[in-house]
Amino acid sequence: MNPVVGLDVAKGESEAQAFLDKDKPFGKSFKIKHITEDLDTFISFLKEIERKTGVRPAVILESTGHYHTPIIQCLEESQYLYILVNPIISHQAKKTSLRKVKTDAFDAYQLCILYYKEEFEPYKKRGLRLLNLRTLSRQYEAVTNLYIQAKLQFHTILDQVFPEYRGVFGDLFSRVSLQVLKEFPTSEDVLRIGEAKILERIVEMRIKRSAGWARERAAKLIDSAKRNPFQQGVYQSQLFSLDMYITMLLQYQEHLSSIEAEIDVLAEEIEECKIIQSIPGIGGKIAATIISEIGEIDRFNHPKKLVAYAGIDPSVHSSGKFTATINHITKRGSSRLRHALYMAVLCGIRSSRNKKLKEYYDRKRNEGKPSKVAMIACVNKLLHWIYAMLKRNEQFLDFA
């Protein structure tokens, strides 16, 4: 007997279908809410199948972001084997049916059918530190995207209130620049307060700058206020929006700084991060993203599997006598890992920090490869290096 339970996971609940063996469904499908009572009932159901078959059933389910987390935690606590399936694989399997059906019960049933068709490996639980690092890295990316959107909106409203303010500070989005603009949002405010008061306020912010720098900023602010085309008649709604976006930008900066500090502390404890950082051109945040997305290197028994996981393996198109000569990468793996690797290659090549990678890129270009093709070849090469370094537990200098 080879029992299995298929779970179609959704937000807050799942649909379960059991098989005692191939072509032997056990009862009808049923719903499980992701609450303690229903999860305990589900474990009892698994024990019932175990009593009937004499074998502990496996559980197969799709990877669904975070929706499957309660189920996974419950299975791990009860020490049940589970298999996480890539949604692409399960979706292709469902398309083999002649009938066009889309229900939770049917999806759970099809997962069981898929279990008997394929040879799946049990899910390898990832280490807690790497999971924490992955969560922080993804959160940093999410907050960064929000920060960028807020900056774009801020630019739009600044153009309608005080466009000349851009030349006052070297960094428009520095904390002192945003705080000064928050206190003096219009040219009318600046000219009314006067240069002496503005200078006093900048000094009070206790920034690590000289008094001369503060005087120069105050003078520039007065000049920009005189040049500003919007001397009067600024709408109250525009001032409200400007103040709101300044507050948001300052908060996002604080959040990003806190997350970055947490990432640095956690990365210091992870040896794999130090190994990847030994590659020229790879900094702390990129190294943290790469290792947190890869996870334990033991999950991959061949570098080609890691390449496929990153989605940089070439697609193949061949039919009859036709074989495509131009093939794009699959982009079916981790987009975050792919982006981090691309940025690592970009940093290594542009600054010529990574001489080996730069030589490889130049060789591909001399062979007539377009720039993007050469870049992807470098990403592939870099990933093979990372795989070998992690497997051997060697720094880049030792490996090279």
Side-chain angles (χ1 to χ4, degrees), residues 5-70:
V5 176
L7 281 179
D8 183 62
V9 181
K11 184 177 181 180
E13 64 178 22
S14 299
E15 188 82 17
Q17 173 66 60
F19 272 55
L20 297 181
D21 208 343
K22 186 177 181 181
D23 299 328
K24 291 184 180 180
F26 178 60
K28 294 183 178 180
S29 66
F30 59 94
K31 289 194 178 295
I32 308 163
K33 290 185 178 179
H34 297 170
I35 57 176
T36 304
E37 183 180 354
D38 281 26
L39 291 174
D40 289 342
T41 302
F42 178 61
I43 295 299
S44 299
F45 175 72
L46 294 179
K47 290 179 179 177
E48 181 187 349
I49 295 175
E50 187 176 353
R51 285 194 296 270
K52 280 183 174 293
T53 61
V55 180
R56 265 203 162 190
V59 178
I60 183 170
L61 64 159
E62 285 183 356
S63 178
T64 56
H66 63 278
Y67 291 154
H68 63 262
T69 306

Side-chain angles (χ1 to χ4, degrees), residues 170-210:
D171 181 5
L172 177 62
F173 297 99
S174 68
R175 178 164 291 274
V176 63
S177 172
L178 292 174
Q179 287 176 341
V180 168
L181 184 60
K182 189 177 179 67
E183 292 189 31
F184 314 112
T186 67
S187 54
E188 188 179 356
D189 292 331
V190 172
L191 296 174
R192 185 181 68 251
I193 295 298
E195 186 174 341
K197 286 286 185 181
I198 291 172
L199 173 60
E200 182 182 334
R201 186 67 193 96
I202 293 175
V203 172
E204 285 175 358
M205 291 178 184
R206 296 180 181 177
I207 54 174
K208 295 179 180 179
R209 295 281 189 170
S210 65

Side-chain angles (χ1 to χ4, degrees), residues 121 124 126 293-310 337 387 390-391:
E121 292 184 1
K124 295 179 180 179
R126 301 182 64 176
E293 292 297 327
I294 290 176
E296 289 76 8
I297 197 62
D298 293 338
R299 300 196 305 149
F300 307 94
N301 57 19
H302 196 278
K304 286 186 177 180
K305 290 189 176 181
L306 180 57
V307 168
Y309 178 73
L337 175 58
Y387 179 86
L390 292 175
K391 281 288 188 180

Side-chain angles (χ1 to χ4, degrees), residues 112-128:
C112 293
I113 298 295
L114 181 63
Y115 172 79
Y116 294 112
K117 285 183 177 179
E118 304 286 343
E119 292 185 6
F120 291 110
E121 292 184 1
Y123 181 75
K124 295 179 180 179
K125 186 178 178 181
R126 301 182 64 176
L128 190 59

Side-chain angles (χ1 to χ4, degrees), residues 308-364:
Y309 178 73
I312 56 174
D313 54 323
S315 58
V316 179
H317 185 194
S318 177
S319 179
K321 295 182 179 180
F322 170 77
T323 300
T325 56
I326 300 176
N327 294 311
H328 299 285
I329 58 174
T330 60
K331 292 187 178 181
R332 286 195 167 186
S334 169
S335 60
R336 292 182 178 88
L337 175 58
R338 192 162 56 250
H339 181 259
L341 290 167
Y342 188 87
M343 292 304 296
V345 169
L346 204 60
C347 292
I349 289 176
R350 282 189 174 177
S351 60
S352 295
R353 293 179 191 172
N354 195 326
K355 293 182 180 179
K356 287 187 68 177
L357 206 57
K358 183 68 167 63
E359 289 172 3
Y360 184 74
Y361 174 81
D362 291 339
R363 187 161 72 247
K364 289 296 176 184

